[in-house]
Amino acid sequence: MRIAVIGAGYVGLVTGACLSQLGWDVLCVDNDEDKINGLTNGVLPIHEPGLEDIIFRSANCQKLEFTSDLEWAVETCEVIFIAVGTPSLDDGSADLNCIIQVAKDIGHFMTGCRMVINKSTVPVGTGHTIGHIIQRELDRRQVNYSFDIISNPEFLREGNAVEDFLHPDRVVVGTESEAAAGIMIKIYRALLEKGTPFVITNLVSAEMIKYACNAFLAAKITFINEIANLCEPLGVNVRHVALAMGLDRRIGPDFLQPGPGYGGACFPKDTRALVSISEQVGAPLTLVQATIIANQNQRFKMVEKIAGQLGGLYGKTIGLLGLTFKPNTDDIRESPALTIIEELVNRGAFVKAYDPIGIENTARWIKADKHREENVKLCSDEYEVADQCNALVILTDWKQFKNLDLSRIKALLAEPFFFDLRNMYLRQTVEEHGLRYYGVGL
Ligand code: UDX
């Protein structure tokens, strides 16, 4: 059995590489020829720990190939994973153009029975739509091949995606066909044998599971952010609150880390899409709506916190550490850092910033706007950022920011303001170096 993965973006590439690691022959397909040429020559379009190793090993023993020839992939692979983007449209709903095109192409090129497995996050009901599109194309060609549609949502976290794929909390399979469920079990047998729970359900339920998980996690982060904001004026330490909350097994300790708000390619997009779906069917999700608003407000609150302590932002230089939406990735999509930079600059501040691997992407984003270009300077390390700044602000919890030379930072800063928006430091440690410490909810 040969597997095609259509879309060599973040999810597709990790899926393709990890399926080859599980022993399958995989063909990764993308219409971006530069990307495919790069991958064929060992150049990865994304930074993801462990991925390069797997791709190198699997490609060397021909278990993983890359192509831009979709026709060849659909003709030669019985199992086809779809992992193309479903970005937000202006109204918050998911843009399904790519996935619809892929469904048409599958119907157009398939030459026998196929299993079509969707990994992209899509509105409930899209699996059925994919099935109708493929069938329409087959009817138009006047051929009669059977196919199954399966929803197999991914729960990969950037920076941890390989580990998440190979050691998932669960595998979700949504299908109306018992035979297809059997083949999915075969594909993931190695995980099943390790004791990974499988949830086998119907198509629409699997599609909903993905949205419900992301919306719940986004709400959980937002909840602790709001509790943290409330802790500050009341003199409460949110660390102790989160610790005690997390020890309640019904709540659990993960995703209770306050900060400048969630970002990334999934939570913002998927919460918006879920709200849009709920409105379309007249069952509005007010909690998710509030989460989106509170998460956006959190970014502005962080700027207000800095402005409040500094007595305004006009003419001030603010140093930012961390630009990516989370550590161990170069992804800046919907990163709180971008909103915070924009707001700082709009309020008359000059920004200096550093990120271990997100600099290139940020440089492109800065270049796209003249005002940003004039008011933001990217630096090559933490100390260059701190030099002559009125405040230093940690925005992303990169491990290396845990070991700053605080005496050096104090000596470099024009004013001793240290904003730790990921609560990485103990107040006492920072204050011992003559800095003024501000966390989130501390
Ligand atoms: C998320 C989901 O976790 C994953 O299952 C899904 O497949 C894709 O979306 P990802 O976006 O890679 O993964 O990152 P994640 O680790 O979930 O963090 C998302 C955002 O929440 C980051 O901006 C992070 O900084 C923030 N976050 C997370 C917090 O602010 N506090 C927390 O306690 C946890």
Side-chain angles (χ1 to χ4, degrees):
M1 192 166 70
R2 198 164 132 92
I3 297 178
V5 180
I6 301 179
Y10 193 81
V11 173
L13 208 49
V14 172
T15 301
C18 290
L19 286 171
S20 73
Q21 167 90 354
L22 296 182
W24 297 104
D25 290 327
V26 180
L27 188 54
C28 276
V29 192
D30 201 289
N31 55 11
D32 180 340
E33 295 203 9
D34 288 342
K35 191 189 271 185
I36 292 298
N37 287 339
L39 283 163
T40 310
N41 294 309
V43 181
L44 268 62
I46 52 164
H47 173 88
E48 188 58 39
L51 187 62
E52 198 167 355
D53 263 10
I54 298 183
I55 290 184
F56 179 74
R57 268 185 280 121
S58 295
N60 259 353
C61 59
Q62 273 96 47
K63 292 214 80 65
L64 182 62
E65 286 181 87
F66 301 99
T67 183
S68 53
D69 188 347
L70 185 85
E71 179 173 355
W72 177 53
V74 173
E75 266 175 23
T76 56
C77 298
E78 301 94 316
V79 174
I80 301 167
F81 279 84
I82 303 178
V84 295
T86 51
S88 279
L89 289 169
D90 287 344
D91 64 357
S93 64
D95 180 350
L96 297 178
N97 275 321
C98 282
I99 215 158
I100 288 170
Q101 187 55 47
V102 168
K104 278 187 192 153
D105 291 340
I106 292 173
H108 191 69
F109 294 127
M110 63 194 262
T111 49
C113 302
R114 295 290 177 267
M115 267 189 47
V116 179
I117 304 157
N118 181 41
K119 273 224 164 276
S120 304
T121 304
V122 290
V124 179
T126 305
H128 290 304
T129 307
I130 295 173
H132 294 314
I133 293 171
I134 296 177
Q135 190 55 53
R136 217 170 39 218
E137 199 54 31
L138 293 176
D139 292 345
R140 196 189 57 75
R141 290 170 58 201
Q142 299 186 327
V143 290
N144 190 17
Y145 301 126
S146 69
F147 63 92
D148 288 307
I149 305 289
I150 297 110
S151 165
N152 174 218
E154 54 83 20
F155 300 97
L156 312 176
R157 288 164 299 170
E158 290 193 23
N160 214 54
V162 170
E163 177 70 16
D164 284 346
F165 190 99
L166 296 172
H167 303 99
D169 287 341
R170 75 308 208 183
V171 172
V172 174
V173 171
T175 177
E176 323 298 337
S177 148
E178 255 181 56
I183 296 180
M184 291 302 283
I185 287 172
K186 189 170 157 193
I187 292 172
Y188 287 118
R189 170 142 303 139
L191 304 182
L192 192 68
E193 280 168 359
K194 278 194 285 197
T196 308
F198 272 55
V199 178
I200 307 222
T201 177
N202 62 10
L203 256 178
V204 284
S205 304
E207 290 168 341
M208 180 55 116
I209 287 169
K210 172 63 197 248
Y211 277 119
C213 287
N214 276 357
F216 183 84
L217 292 169
K220 194 174 180 190
I221 296 166
T222 306
F223 182 85
I224 200 65
N225 282 343
E226 292 215 311
I227 291 290
N229 296 343
L230 178 61
C231 284
E232 278 178 32
L234 298 176
V236 176
N237 186 331
V238 75
R239 267 201 196 106
H240 298 179
V241 177
L243 175 69
M245 282 176 69
L247 286 169
D248 185 326
R249 271 172 297 167
R250 293 167 302 175
I251 297 174
D254 295 338
F255 281 67
L256 285 179
Q257 178 67 44
Y262 61 78
C266 291
F267 288 168
K269 165 177 82 75
D270 294 347
T271 44
R272 285 193 297 262
L274 189 58
V275 164
S276 162
I277 296 165
S278 73
E279 283 167 352
Q280 277 166 32
V281 295
L285 289 177
T286 49
L287 183 60
V288 185
Q289 282 168 349
T291 297
I292 295 169
I293 294 166
N295 187 59
Q296 190 63 6
N297 290 345
Q298 187 70 3
R299 299 162 180 216
F300 293 107
K301 281 210 173 81
M302 298 298 110
V303 176
E304 210 38 67
K305 184 197 282 274
I306 301 165
Q309 294 304 327
L310 265 61
L313 290 166
Y314 193 82
K316 300 283 165 68
T317 301
I318 310 298
L320 304 181
L321 300 185
L323 297 162
T324 51
F325 78 102
K326 62 186 273 189
N328 303 324
T329 173
D330 61 352
D331 198 343
I332 58 163
R333 282 177 289 175
E334 306 222 22
S335 173
L338 307 189
T339 316
I340 289 173
I341 290 177
E342 203 106 88
E343 182 68 2
L344 288 170
V345 166
N346 285 343
R347 290 174 66 169
F350 184 78
V351 171
K352 293 171 79 182
Y354 165 72
D355 188 278
I357 59 173
I359 286 282
E360 260 181 53
N361 285 338
T362 313
R364 265 193 293 277
W365 176 77
I366 289 173
K367 236 180 143 190
D369 180 287
K370 198 160 164 39
H371 191 50
R372 273 181 221 149
E373 219 177 356
E374 286 166 0
N375 292 290
V376 184
K377 177 178 187 257
L378 295 176
C379 300
S380 53
D381 68 24
E382 297 92 329
Y383 304 99
E384 191 189 339
V385 170
D387 194 18
Q388 293 311 306
C389 275
N390 298 94
L392 190 67
V393 185
I394 297 181
L395 284 182
T396 315
D397 39 348
W398 284 96
K399 212 169 166 191
Q400 72 183 65
F401 297 156
K402 245 186 140 49
N403 302 311
L404 294 173
D405 178 343
L406 294 174
S407 305
R408 197 171 156 202
I409 296 281
K410 165 72 173 65
L412 287 166
L413 284 173
E415 290 188 89
F417 290 101
F418 189 92
F419 293 88
D420 174 10
L421 302 187
R422 294 287 181 172
N423 293 353
M424 296 181 85
Y425 283 86
L426 291 175
R427 175 185 297 282
Q428 201 191 340
T429 313
V430 175
E431 290 185 344
E432 272 166 6
H433 291 83
L435 292 160
R436 293 172 65 174
Y437 181 83
Y438 306 91
V440 182
L442 300 173

